[in-house]
Amino acid sequence: MNLGRKVREEVARRARFRCEYCRIHDLDAGFPHQADHVVSVKHGGLSGLDNLAYACAICNRRKGSDIASIDPVTGELVALFNPRQQRWSDHFRLDAEWIIPVTRIGEATARLLGLNLTERLAERRLLQSLGRYPSG
Ligand SMILES: [Zn+2]
């Protein structure tokens, strides 16, 4: 999906240049952040600002076109975090370098996007030590 430059800039500015899932700043990521379709085009999502989120390449790739995940405990389908309709702090909190999910939506999203994979924790710890990532 080729979005216009203006739209991409607006998505980035609105997110203060941080991934809306893992919160890494685009200057600190190895690959440029992307405008993610919160509800993928495949599922009928449109390319307007109200369906776009700023996402790092890792979160965007892991999310793919998914909009939900299966809770491994209950087997139920759980929607993923929607940065346009929900607040990050209602579904996650930071504990040192860990992104701790506080809802089932947060859990499903953290699991699918691998928010606490070992290498991501190490990166976050480094960025926190440099004052480049929020520490709480
Ligand atoms: Zn991310």
Side-chain angles (χ1 to χ4, degrees):
M1 176 62 54
N2 202 358
L3 301 166
R5 187 173 57 88
K6 267 195 148 154
V7 171
R8 277 189 280 111
E9 282 173 2
E10 174 60 19
V11 169
R13 189 202 53 75
R14 178 176 63 185
R16 298 192 178 103
F17 305 96
R18 289 188 177 276
C19 173
E20 295 190 70
Y21 298 99
C22 74
R23 312 198 97 171
I24 192 171
H25 196 281
D26 61 7
L27 292 176
D28 297 321
F31 294 93
H33 284 18
Q34 300 155 354
D36 159 62
H37 285 79
V38 179
V39 176
S40 57
V41 173
K42 185 165 123 181
H43 290 288
L46 303 177
S47 295
L49 284 171
D50 61 354
N51 188 44
L52 294 171
Y54 205 43
C56 72
I58 297 172
C59 286
N60 201 15
R61 187 176 66 233
R62 292 187 62 98
K63 181 170 171 285
S65 62
D66 292 344
I67 55 176
S69 184
I70 304 286
D71 183 315
V73 176
T74 65
E76 289 173 351
L77 191 65
V78 181
L80 298 179
F81 171 62
N82 181 329
R84 293 286 68 78
Q85 296 175 1
Q86 296 160 337
R87 279 206 320 228
W88 194 91
S89 57
D90 288 338
H91 295 279
F92 309 94
R93 67 180 174 81
L94 271 175
D95 184 352
E97 68 270 34
W98 289 82
I99 295 176
I100 308 291
V102 294
T103 61
R104 293 179 65 215
I105 286 173
E107 279 172 21
T109 305
R111 190 175 55 248
L112 190 78
L113 273 55
L115 294 183
N116 294 305
L117 293 176
T118 305
E119 62 272 26
R120 302 186 88 181
L121 292 173
E123 180 178 51
R124 229 172 267 147
R125 202 160 45 236
L126 173 63
L127 290 171
Q128 284 172 332
S129 76
L130 299 170
R132 300 283 313 162
Y133 189 89
S135 45

